[in-house]
Amino acid sequence: MTFVSCKQTGRMAFEVFKPVEVKLEIASLPYSVWGCYLFKNDNQGYLFPLILYNFQCMVVPNQNVTAIPQSRSPIEKKLDQGFVWLTQIFAWGIVVVLLLLGFPIAQQAIPAIQQFGLGFLFGSDWNPVANQYGVFPMIAGTLMSSLIALLFAVPLGVGTAIFLSEDFIPPSIRTALTFLVELLAAIPSVVYGLWGIFVLIPFLRPFGMFMYKNFGWIPLFSTPPGGPGLFPAGVILAIMTLPIITAISRDSLASLPPDLRQASLGLGATRWVTIFRVLIPAAFSGIVGGIMLGLGRAMGETMAATMIIGNSNNLRPSIFAPANTIASLMANQFPEASGLQVSALMYAGLVLFALTLLVNIAAEWIVNQVKAKYQ
């Protein structure tokens, strides 16, 4: 091996070797090797070489060797084809379930649709005696209570997921806290409702009075808290959706490859920059999925919301005033409904079904926009 040497201090000499092909039985591997030698002159005449090797290996199939394909048995082909058919059946089964849910509701809602049309969505009267029905206050109550729930549940749930997915605490304590958070999902709705009546409403009353006395000129706080209302219902829904958002967000963050975190830290990013600028965007689709599941739980919750929200069909701007949701309306009036009232309640259920579908479509659009931003 020869090289070009330089006797001046600090200079490098490079020699490019021709690729050397090493013949094996099944492949030819070319190796390109570059030697970089650093020479230093001193009084003693010593030579200090620094050799850097860069190996680029590419396996090239030998043209003389012919691969013998292994044929699959007919049983394996039939099993694969059966698995494909089975997954298709499962996928179409979800569509069938949705149709079985939506078609009977839409069929029974036809009389109300024919009589009220789109005015049912914007009407505010619900009078079974006069057969006058409008669901706008219930739509507003459903959306407002769900929004209040998300305002509390999303920061708390995502923050808890970050805390449980990082090594802030020992693993034993982290496992115990994870179990306690997931245990919230096993509590029945009626227990949440009773706890809200006897504990949550008295606890929130001082806060409501403070907001009413100091910010009563704002429409959101224009009424004094008198017990059940929209705000306590939103808080109880936030507690009920918290384990869903936390569990799915934590799983999304924990499933990220460790190399992603290590690469960010290796580039000089701090821990918090890594969490908020790298990990959360990478797990954004899973976090949004958990939030949407929590939102669906909040919009469809019946028993706890019925016990806390006040069940008032009047539309008021204050969050401390009694309100109503579509699910609570259906739970309260179905036992005594008959005739056109049943059709109106089915129409309200169809509206709730459509709202949930629109929310899922909006969530999918948000996820796609964020993915396009970071790609």
Side-chain angles (χ1 to χ4, degrees):
M1 179 174 57
T2 61
F3 53 85
V4 179
S5 62
C6 299
K7 296 183 179 180
Q8 297 180 0
T9 304
R11 296 185 59 186
M12 292 184 178
F14 297 92
E15 176 185 2
V16 179
F17 292 85
K18 296 182 178 180
V20 180
E21 293 187 356
V22 180
K23 297 292 184 179
L24 300 179
E25 294 181 0
I26 61 173
S28 175
L29 287 80
Y31 291 80
S32 298
V33 185
W34 292 270
C36 175
Y37 298 89
L38 174 66
F39 296 92
K40 179 180 179 182
N41 282 330
D42 55 13
N43 297 328
Q44 302 295 330
Y46 292 111
L47 183 65
F48 298 93
L50 174 64
I51 305 176
L52 302 177
Y53 295 99
N54 183 7
F55 297 91
Q56 294 181 340
C57 304
M58 180 177 62
V59 178
V60 180
N62 196 339
Q63 299 178 355
N64 297 328
V65 179
T66 303
I68 301 176
Q70 295 182 356
S71 60
R72 304 176 64 190
S73 64
I75 297 178
E76 292 178 348
K77 295 180 180 180
K78 290 181 179 179
L79 288 176
D80 290 346
Q81 188 65 33
F83 179 76
V84 173
W85 289 346
L86 183 62
T87 54
Q88 291 180 354
I89 291 173
F90 289 156
W92 285 105
I94 297 176
V95 179
V96 172
V97 170
L98 291 176
L99 293 177
L100 291 176
L101 289 174
F103 181 74
I105 297 175
Q107 186 178 13
Q108 296 188 32
I110 290 177
I113 295 175
Q114 293 176 347
Q115 182 166 348
F116 303 109
L118 295 179
F120 181 80
L121 303 177
F122 304 100
S124 57
D125 295 332
W126 190 274
N127 190 354
V129 178
N131 279 334
Q132 295 294 328
Y133 301 103
V135 78
F136 184 73
M138 297 73 171
I139 295 176
T142 301
L143 296 178
M144 286 298 297
S145 60
S146 301
L147 179 60
I148 294 173
L150 291 184
L151 288 177
F152 287 99
V154 171
L156 187 59
V158 176
T160 305
I162 294 173
F163 180 76
L164 295 177
S165 61
E166 297 291 327
D167 55 348
F168 293 111
I169 54 177
S172 58
I173 302 177
R174 190 188 316 159
T175 303
L177 290 178
T178 303
F179 174 76
L180 291 176
V181 171
E182 295 178 353
L183 187 63
L184 293 175
I187 300 176
S189 299
V190 64
V191 176
Y192 278 111
L194 293 174
W195 180 80
I197 292 174
F198 294 105
V199 178
L200 184 62
I201 291 179
F203 177 77
L204 294 177
R205 186 175 290 113
F207 171 76
M209 291 301 299
F210 172 81
M211 298 300 293
Y212 171 70
K213 291 180 180 179
N214 295 276
F215 303 98
W217 51 273
I218 301 176
L220 289 177
F221 314 117
S222 58
T223 58
L230 187 62
F231 183 68
V235 174
I236 205 73
L237 291 176
I239 298 174
M240 297 180 69
T241 58
L242 181 62
I244 300 175
I245 298 175
T246 302
I248 298 179
S249 300
R250 176 186 173 274
D251 292 340
S252 300
L253 292 171
S255 62
L256 295 176
D259 296 341
L260 194 63
R261 180 184 290 103
Q262 295 173 3
S264 178
L265 296 175
L267 291 174
T270 63
R271 186 173 195 172
W272 295 108
V273 171
T274 300
I275 292 174
F276 288 102
R277 299 296 298 274
V278 177
L279 300 182
I280 291 181
F284 185 78
S285 59
I287 295 175
V288 172
I291 293 172
M292 290 302 106
L293 287 178
L295 179 59
R297 171 70 185 277
M299 294 177 64
E301 177 56 37
T302 305
M303 183 58 65
T306 303
M307 299 172 67
I308 299 296
I309 201 168
N311 302 311
S312 175
N313 296 332
N314 298 322
L315 182 61
R316 299 179 182 178
S318 176
I319 62 175
F320 299 132
N324 206 353
T325 63
I326 297 177
S328 300
L329 175 71
M330 298 174 67
N332 284 324
Q333 298 202 7
F334 245 119
E336 300 177 356
S338 62
L340 187 61
Q341 186 179 1
V342 175
S343 181
L345 291 173
M346 286 296 183
Y347 195 0
L350 190 63
V351 171
L352 180 61
F353 192 84
L355 285 176
T356 306
L357 181 61
L358 291 176
V359 166
N360 290 331
I361 293 174
E364 187 68 22
W365 180 82
I366 293 173
V367 170
N368 291 333
Q369 292 297 317
V370 174
K371 285 183 177 180
K373 178 181 177 181
Y374 286 96
Q375 284 180 354

